[in-house]
Amino acid sequence: MLGTVFLVSIALIFWHSYKRAEPESGLEQLAAMRSGDGYKAYFGAGQGYNLIIIQLESFQNFLLNQSVQEQPLTPVLNELASESLYFPYIFQQIGRGNTSDAEFAANTSIYPVGGTPMSSKYGNRKFPSLARLLHKRGYTANTFHVNKVSFWDRNQLYPALGFDTYYDQPYFRKEKFNRFGASDEELYRVAFNKLNALALKHQTFYAQLVTASSHSPYTIPEDRKRLKLNAALDGNTLGNYLTAIHYVDYALGTFIDKLKQSGLWNNSVVVVYGDHFGLNKKNYNPQKIAGVEETGN
């Protein structure tokens, strides 16, 4: 049942070059990691590996392992979750900053204040962060977003978080995928080229990729739509959302393929998670969405 989980639950998928832990529950996996030999097996397992964190726009956990009119909605993420550490009970912790607050929390483990975007009010600070921790181990830290870096004052946020370089709108092709600019495919193309160049120089890196192709209102170009919908879903907000998510999953697959072909996949820890809700409970009844899920219509 979707229930309240539909409202706020987002997925966390953690891939590394070791076999998936059992049992399957994310909470049970975490307990196993913290106890006895399980903890010893995982502690420091990623030392010396590159770290790639991918923040998916408006992505919720209920989307995984679903089909829409007999079409798998997220086949790439389904496969990734099946061979990775998968935590289905991750709850959004954002305030007015939305996506930028999710970036802040992921990089600092500090709760946003809520009423004010962290990037706007606290961008003049120097925060303890993941980037700064990894700097001490010789890593460089880069972040990628197809929008202008001034949006949500990320030009202040990224230095506050200790990133060495940010890649924003001027680094991407001038395509109009949605109101933010370039597509996720373009985001991944540029990110891969930059990261592969670092790897060829034997430079370990931390990379944050912030996607935007599944941002509301979820309308994407016709030539990028890969999901076939019936008349009941085609053209409405739910149908548009599912279509955008299906594309996001496909685009992620193109990035993973490049990582595997280059050898970066086996030298990296890859973390994928959603930043916040996609369909707000104020506008969409969870029971109605659950009914659509159960009937497949």
Side-chain angles (χ1 to χ4, degrees), residues 132-168:
R132 290 193 166 92
L133 284 174
L134 291 174
H135 280 156
K136 296 177 180 179
R137 296 188 177 271
Y139 285 64
T140 188
N142 300 329
T143 182
F144 301 80
H145 194 305
V146 298
N147 202 356
K148 295 179 181 178
V149 74
S150 57
F151 187 65
W152 285 117
D153 298 307
R154 285 184 171 90
N155 54 322
Q156 299 180 52
L157 175 65
Y158 291 150
L161 296 178
F163 282 104
D164 298 295
T165 307
Y166 58 75
Y167 295 94
D168 68 331

Side-chain angles (χ1 to χ4, degrees), residues 2 11 18 84 86 108 121 144 153 156 176 233 252:
L2 295 179
Y18 43 60
S84 308
Y86 165 45
T108 64
K121 188 170 183 179
F144 301 80
D153 298 307
Q156 299 180 52
K176 186 64 176 177
L233 282 174
L252 176 61

Side-chain angles (χ1 to χ4, degrees), residues 124-277:
N124 61 344
R125 312 294 175 91
K126 183 178 179 180
F127 288 100
S129 67
L130 187 54
R132 290 193 166 92
L133 284 174
L134 291 174
H135 280 156
K136 296 177 180 179
R137 296 188 177 271
Y139 285 64
T140 188
N142 300 329
T143 182
F144 301 80
H145 194 305
V146 298
N147 202 356
K148 295 179 181 178
V149 74
S150 57
F151 187 65
W152 285 117
D153 298 307
R154 285 184 171 90
N155 54 322
Q156 299 180 52
L157 175 65
Y158 291 150
L161 296 178
F163 282 104
D164 298 295
T165 307
Y166 58 75
Y167 295 94
D168 68 331
Q169 196 173 81
Y171 290 89
F172 302 94
R173 292 171 180 163
K174 294 182 179 179
E175 62 174 2
K176 186 64 176 177
F177 186 90
N178 60 17
R179 62 193 177 102
F180 294 106
S183 64
D184 281 3
E185 288 175 89
E186 176 64 3
L187 170 75
Y188 292 131
R189 183 190 71 83
V190 171
F192 171 76
N193 288 340
K194 298 296 183 182
L195 300 180
N196 194 47
L198 290 172
L200 292 174
K201 296 177 182 177
H202 306 288
Q203 172 63 58
T204 51
F205 58 79
Y206 160 43
Q208 172 188 260
L209 284 66
V210 181
T211 75
S213 289
S214 52
H215 200 288
S216 62
Y218 314 121
T219 52
I220 68 175
E222 287 295 326
D223 63 351
R224 302 297 184 93
K225 293 180 179 179
R226 308 177 63 85
L227 193 67
K228 306 299 181 183
L229 300 177
N230 62 19
L233 282 174
D234 191 25
N236 63 32
T237 300
L238 176 58
N240 289 342
Y241 179 57
L242 297 177
T243 299
I245 290 297
H246 188 63
Y247 166 78
V248 165
D249 182 80
Y250 163 77
L252 176 61
T254 67
F255 183 57
I256 290 175
D257 286 344
K258 288 175 179 164
L259 293 176
K260 289 181 177 179
Q261 291 165 11
S262 67
L264 276 173
W265 184 253
N266 290 328
N267 296 313
S268 303
V269 174
V270 179
V271 181
V272 183
Y273 68 95
D275 59 356
H276 55 68
F277 60 80

Side-chain angles (χ1 to χ4, degrees), residues 60-79:
Q60 293 182 240
N61 183 66
F62 82 93
L63 299 163
L64 268 66
N65 298 307
Q66 299 292 336
S67 293
V68 178
Q69 286 133 34
E70 300 183 353
Q71 304 162 90
L73 182 60
T74 58
V76 174
L77 282 165
N78 294 347
E79 182 177 356

